[in-house]
Amino acid sequence: KKFRDAVADDVSDYSAQYRIIRPSDGEIRWISVTSTIERDAQGKAIRLVGAHTDVTNQVMAEQALRQSEAEFRTLAEAVPHHVWTATPQGSLNWFNPRVYEYAGAGSGKLDGANWANIVHPDDLTGALAAWSSAIGSGAPYEVEFRLRRADGAFRWYLARAVAARDRHGEIVRWIGTNTDVHDQKMIARELAELNATLAQRV
C-alpha cells in the first residue's frame, strides 16, 4: 500500500522497510529499500530504480537495545534509590520517580543542568568539578553532596556514576545513583565530637 500511495501521490522518492521469507532456507529477513520513481512528462510512473539492503542484523540489534532499555527502566523505577542517566557529554536526561518525589519536581524539570538547582550551594562547585573530570576522562564519578528535599531540608547523598560503553569502547551513556548517607554522616560527626570532648578531659 505504501508503494501504491507513493506512485499515486506523484512523489519521486520511495523508501520502506519490511520482512521477507528467504526462499533458500525459509528464514525471515528484514529488507530496506531506497528508490527513485521515474516519471514521464505527464507524471506517470514508468520505472522504479533503487536498491534493496538486508538490514536484519541492524534491526535485531535495535530491538535488543529497546528491550534492554525497557528492562533497565522497569528495574530503575522499582528500586527505592535515586537512579539517573546522562548523555556521553554529561547532560542528565532521565531520573527515576524517586528523584522527582524527593525533590518535589515535575517530570523533566531536573534534566540538563537543572539538577544543580537542588544541590546545596556550598557543595555545587565540588560536584560540578568532579562531574566534569569524570566526563573528560571516562572514569567513574563519585562525590558526596547535599540535596534539597521537597520540604526545603537538605540531606547528604553519595552520588556515583559509571560510563556504559558500546563494543568499540565508546561511551553511549552514563548511569548514576544517589544513595542517602545522611544518617551515617550525622552519626560519624557526633562520634567525632564526642571523641574530641573526651580527649580534652584526659
Side-chain angles (χ1 to χ4, degrees):
K1 185 178 186 297
K2 186 177 180 180
F3 174 69
R4 293 198 298 270
D5 291 341
V7 172
D9 290 344
D10 198 30
V11 298
S12 58
D13 296 319
Y14 167 73
S15 62
Q17 193 174 92
Y18 50 81
R19 287 169 292 180
I20 65 167
I21 299 176
R22 190 162 56 188
S24 60
D25 56 10
E27 183 179 350
I28 296 176
R29 307 292 294 180
W30 279 95
I31 300 297
S32 175
V33 56
T34 303
S35 57
T36 298
I37 302 173
E38 296 185 354
R39 301 178 183 275
D40 60 20
Q42 289 71 44
K44 181 180 179 181
I46 57 175
R47 186 168 59 172
L48 180 71
V49 180
H52 292 78
T53 305
D54 188 324
V55 293
T56 303
N57 292 340
Q58 177 184 335
V59 170
M60 298 303 291
E62 291 172 351
Q63 290 178 348
L65 181 61
R66 286 194 295 271
Q67 177 65 25
S68 177
E69 179 67 18
E71 292 174 353
F72 165 74
R73 293 289 180 90
T74 299
L75 176 62
E77 290 180 359
V79 298
H81 304 293
H82 295 183
V83 181
W84 48 273
T85 65
T87 66
Q89 297 74 33
S91 178
L92 276 68
N93 57 4
W94 183 83
F95 298 86
N96 74 344
R98 304 297 86 71
V99 180
Y100 293 119
E101 292 165 2
Y102 176 85
S107 180
K109 296 300 182 181
L110 300 176
D111 289 7
N114 291 328
W115 65 273
N117 294 333
I118 64 171
V119 178
H120 194 288
D122 293 345
D123 305 331
L124 184 56
T125 299
L128 290 175
W131 185 227
S132 179
S133 177
I135 296 303
S137 65
Y141 169 70
E142 182 171 318
V143 68
E144 289 185 352
F145 48 51
R146 286 163 288 183
L147 293 178
R148 187 181 67 245
R149 202 166 55 189
D151 61 3
F154 282 90
R155 291 185 65 83
W156 281 99
Y157 276 81
L158 171 62
R160 289 192 176 108
V162 294
R165 302 174 184 270
D166 62 19
R167 61 189 180 90
H168 303 293
E170 296 296 323
I171 296 175
V172 294
R173 71 174 171 180
W174 289 82
I175 301 175
T177 60
N178 300 332
T179 303
D180 189 323
V181 294
H182 188 84
D183 293 340
Q184 295 95 308
K185 287 187 74 70
M186 293 303 99
I187 292 172
R189 180 179 298 177
E190 291 174 3
L191 288 175
E193 292 174 350
L194 177 60
N195 288 335
T197 300
L198 293 175
Q200 291 174 358
R201 293 177 179 177
V202 174

